[in-house]
Amino acid sequence: MSQPNVLLLGPPGAGKGTQSSNIVQTYGVEHVTTGDALRSNKGMDISDLDVEYDTPGGFMDAGELVPNAVVNEIVKTALREADGYVLDGYPRNLDQAEYLDGITGLDVVAFLDVPREELVERLTGRRICDECGANYHVEFSPPEEAGVCDECGGELVQRDDDTEETVRERLSVYDENTRPVIEHYDEQGELSRIDGEGSPDEVWERLHTAIEERT
Ligand code: AMP
């Protein structure tokens, strides 16, 4: 079989980024993540769409969803170029899910399930290396020296949208828009529910087993 097409669903802070890296290492697939793609294009001029903000960054800093027209195009281009992928951060509403159904076939749809209180704690304590993108947590996985990356010595920063106010907004946007996406795949009988609590290694063991069962 060619490389698997994996969709990783879950709320912000569920560990999709960490587990995507495991999938990439194990299966040699492409990591397609709309969050990173949009962060690299925060200042792109989208004023022709005549929407609330003139750039993706306006929506992101408010914790809102970037318009479908922008995000769908990013995903279509990325998937066309990939031989197997793990898709993370998309689809985030039903329109995106239906668009995705029309452009690709999925082998595995996995949902990382984590309780709400733990998500807030994970996100507000998250720190990211400015240089290499390595992830830390001030309490759960601190670097050896505060504010400095163990891997490359880069500076650790908080994402603009990981402040408590924006985190709460992102979680309520998730409840309203993305929960129906989970139901969409559940109804099709495609969803593997994974307990997302515990260490990254424990979650990976469960996720890996679920992927093996589906491929
Ligand atoms: P993430 O890194 O996945 O948490 O995404 C950060 C921000 O990027 C989100 O809060 C949204 O503003 C935007 N974003 C990422 N993926 C999508 C998507 N599929 N649809 C709309 N907006 C998105």
Side-chain angles (χ1 to χ4, degrees), residues 34-35 38-39 59-60 64-66 71 89-90 92 96 159 161 170:
T34 45
L38 289 167
R39 268 184 289 283
F59 292 90
M60 296 167 82
E64 293 173 27
L65 294 186
V66 174
V71 189
Y90 178 100
R92 271 207 173 52
Q96 293 179 9
R159 255 171 61 169
D161 58 355
R170 286 162 66 201

Side-chain angles (χ1 to χ4, degrees), residues 9-11 14 111-115 119 122 179 193-197:
L9 295 167
F111 168 60
L112 296 179
D113 200 4
V114 177
L119 295 172
R122 284 189 189 181
R179 266 191 201 286
R193 275 176 196 274
I194 312 291
D195 175 4
E197 276 195 284

Side-chain angles (χ1 to χ4, degrees), residues 7 9 91 93-102 106 109 177-191 193:
L7 173 59
L9 295 167
N93 59 32
L94 268 183
D95 283 345
Q96 293 179 9
E98 280 159 12
Y99 181 81
L100 183 67
D101 288 345
L106 297 166
V109 183
N177 296 276
T178 314
R179 266 191 201 286
V181 173
I182 314 289
E183 284 153 24
H184 172 81
Y185 291 108
D186 214 1
E187 279 162 14
Q188 295 178 4
E190 287 187 38
L191 197 72
R193 275 176 196 274

Side-chain angles (χ1 to χ4, degrees), residues 51-215:
V51 284
E52 196 179 352
Y53 302 99
D54 286 340
T55 62
F59 292 90
M60 296 167 82
D61 290 344
E64 293 173 27
L65 294 186
V66 174
N68 293 341
V70 177
V71 189
N72 289 345
E73 199 53 40
I74 290 175
V75 171
K76 186 166 117 189
T77 307
L79 296 194
R80 197 170 40 213
E81 289 162 5
D83 173 23
Y85 56 79
V86 50
L87 181 56
D88 137 34
Y90 178 100
R92 271 207 173 52
N93 59 32
L94 268 183
D95 283 345
Q96 293 179 9
E98 280 159 12
Y99 181 81
L100 183 67
D101 288 345
I103 60 168
T104 192
L106 297 166
D107 299 305
V108 181
V109 183
F111 168 60
L112 296 179
D113 200 4
V114 177
R116 175 60 44 106
E117 322 77 71
E118 187 163 335
L119 295 172
V120 175
E121 217 175 353
R122 284 189 189 181
L123 287 165
T124 53
R126 177 162 72 175
R127 298 292 181 272
I128 295 180
C129 176
D130 214 11
E131 298 287 326
C132 73
N135 261 266
Y136 297 87
H137 190 281
V138 287
E139 206 181 314
F140 309 138
S141 63
E144 275 170 30
E145 188 186 337
V148 180
C149 179
D150 292 344
E151 309 282 327
C152 75
E155 186 191 354
L156 301 187
V157 296
Q158 184 174 41
R159 255 171 61 169
D160 293 341
D161 58 355
D162 278 346
T163 57
E164 177 144 3
E165 190 192 349
T166 310
V167 161
R168 294 208 179 270
E169 176 61 20
R170 286 162 66 201
L171 290 171
S172 80
V173 165
Y174 169 82
D175 282 335
E176 197 177 319
N177 296 276
T178 314
R179 266 191 201 286
V181 173
I182 314 289
E183 284 153 24
H184 172 81
Y185 291 108
D186 214 1
E187 279 162 14
Q188 295 178 4
E190 287 187 38
L191 197 72
S192 300
R193 275 176 196 274
I194 312 291
D195 175 4
E197 276 195 284
S199 73
D201 286 349
E202 285 164 347
V203 177
W204 171 235
E205 211 175 299
R206 297 175 203 135
L207 178 59
H208 190 192
T209 306
I211 295 174
E212 288 295 306
E213 278 168 5
R214 293 261 175 177
T215 51

